[in-house]
Amino acid sequence: MSTLKSTGTFLDSSVIMNLLFETELTQKAQKLFSLAENPVVSETVIDECIYTTLRKKASKLGIRSIYEVKRFIKTSEGLEVLKDSIQTVLSFIMDHQITIVRDPDIFLTIVIAEKYGLLPHDAKIVGAMIENEIRKIVTLDRDFSDIPIISVLTF
């Protein structure tokens, strides 16, 4: 077993987003992040963070609905905002030496979603943790609190 798998701590997107953008939860996110030994994220977490960052940046330009965002990113200005959102998230991951793991098999995701009553993205996170033998997650959400196979670090 690798060191990462035995000591890694999964970072939920709720923690990352509150570190990227100053909010009332940023201090809690900083404390949680400090607990994350060998931090790990999955492709789904990166996707969620890029999407949320894009929506926040587009919102500042008056673009509110997902339909407006879809049209906006087809423009040159929108494409730049999308690229900037990607860069923001990936830079954070690289700057903090966060390991990226692949998403789990879709059938594992479905089984986890049904077994624990999770939304698919949350089930993907748990699946990625299982497949990589990661037992701890830092999160600001309560979505993972009733899953006995993982340890949730939260405030």
Side-chain angles (χ1 to χ4, degrees):
M1 181 184 317
S2 76
T3 303
L4 166 65
K5 290 182 180 181
S6 64
T7 62
T9 305
F10 202 94
L11 297 176
D12 187 28
S13 58
S14 63
V15 173
I16 295 171
M17 291 310 302
N18 283 282
L19 293 172
L20 290 176
F21 297 93
E22 186 73 29
T23 72
E24 67 278 355
L25 297 174
T26 296
Q27 271 192 322
K28 287 182 180 181
Q30 289 169 337
K31 288 178 185 175
L32 286 172
F33 186 69
S34 73
L35 299 175
E37 185 180 349
N38 298 321
V40 178
V41 295
S42 67
E43 296 163 332
T44 291
V45 168
I46 294 170
D47 171 42
E48 289 175 345
C49 290
I50 292 170
Y51 174 75
T52 304
T53 300
L54 172 63
R55 290 295 304 261
K56 285 183 176 291
K57 291 179 183 236
S59 178
K60 288 181 181 178
L61 299 172
I63 297 158
R64 304 279 183 236
S65 76
I66 184 59
Y67 305 106
E68 291 175 308
V69 171
K70 287 179 179 183
R71 284 191 300 272
F72 178 62
I73 62 174
K74 293 188 182 309
T75 68
S76 59
E77 181 185 12
L79 184 56
E80 288 305 313
V81 173
L82 174 61
K83 288 178 181 180
D84 184 55
S85 299
I86 293 167
Q87 182 65 34
T88 297
V89 173
L90 294 181
S91 291
F92 178 86
I93 289 167
M94 289 186 299
D95 291 347
H96 292 89
Q97 300 175 345
I98 299 169
T99 301
I100 302 169
V101 296
R102 297 189 84 76
D103 282 339
D105 175 83
I106 188 62
F107 297 106
L108 177 59
T109 298
I110 291 167
V111 168
I112 292 167
E114 290 176 347
K115 182 172 183 168
Y116 297 111
L118 294 172
L119 292 172
H121 273 204
D122 291 338
K124 281 184 183 181
I125 288 170
V126 174
M129 291 176 69
I130 290 169
E131 286 187 346
N132 290 280
E133 301 174 23
I134 299 166
R135 300 291 174 236
K136 296 181 288 186
I137 184 171
V138 291
T139 183
L140 291 163
D141 300 332
R142 299 190 191 280
D143 303 326
F144 303 100
S145 60
D146 296 327
I147 303 171
I149 59 173
I150 62 174
S151 175
V152 180
L153 307 175
T154 189
F155 283 99

